[in-house]
Amino acid sequence: MNRSKETYDRYMVGERIQKRRQSLGMSQEVLAERMDRATKYCSDIERGICGMSVETMLAFAEHLDMSLDYMMYGIKPSEEEENPEADTTTDS
């Protein structure tokens, strides 16, 4: 998928993480413990104060059961299916 129009916005990423965590009824402390991260670090990510490593992104995605596309860009799986890009590859 072409990401040229989307940009990484750590404040929006943090907001999506926070909303998902809250919708699951999970506290920051519980999520941080499950991810083996400090609670303050998870809080800072949710507030957009700091970025995160690939490993931490994957841990959030796993423990919150959310796709990386949604976490990073706000793209829900159904949106990708509705707007598929043309496959420009050919088998020669």
Side-chain angles (χ1 to χ4, degrees):
M1 175 174 266
N2 183 353
R3 298 276 183 231
S4 61
K5 294 182 182 179
E6 294 95 5
T7 58
Y8 173 73
D9 181 335
R10 66 183 184 202
Y11 298 101
M12 293 304 298
V13 171
E15 185 176 301
R16 286 188 286 271
I17 289 170
Q18 181 183 48
K19 284 183 179 180
R20 178 63 179 157
R21 176 185 56 75
Q22 290 172 340
S23 75
L24 295 172
M26 193 182 308
S27 70
Q28 283 182 338
E29 293 80 10
V30 168
L31 178 58
E33 184 177 314
R34 289 180 183 176
M35 292 175 47
D36 196 26
R37 305 294 192 278
T39 302
K40 181 170 180 348
Y41 179 54
C42 290
S43 173
D44 287 349
I45 289 170
E46 285 188 5
R47 293 184 295 148
I49 292 174
C50 66
M52 62 184 131
S53 67
V54 171
E55 290 81 6
T56 300
M57 278 188 265
L58 293 171
F60 273 116
E62 177 185 347
H63 293 283
L64 296 175
D65 191 30
M66 65 191 311
S67 74
L68 290 174
D69 277 337
Y70 180 70
M71 182 191 312
M72 302 307 292
Y73 300 108
I75 299 171
K76 296 179 182 178
S78 60
E79 291 175 14
E80 287 181 348
E81 293 168 6
E82 292 172 7
N83 301 312
E85 291 194 2
D87 184 3
T88 58
T89 60
T90 58
D91 293 325
S92 300

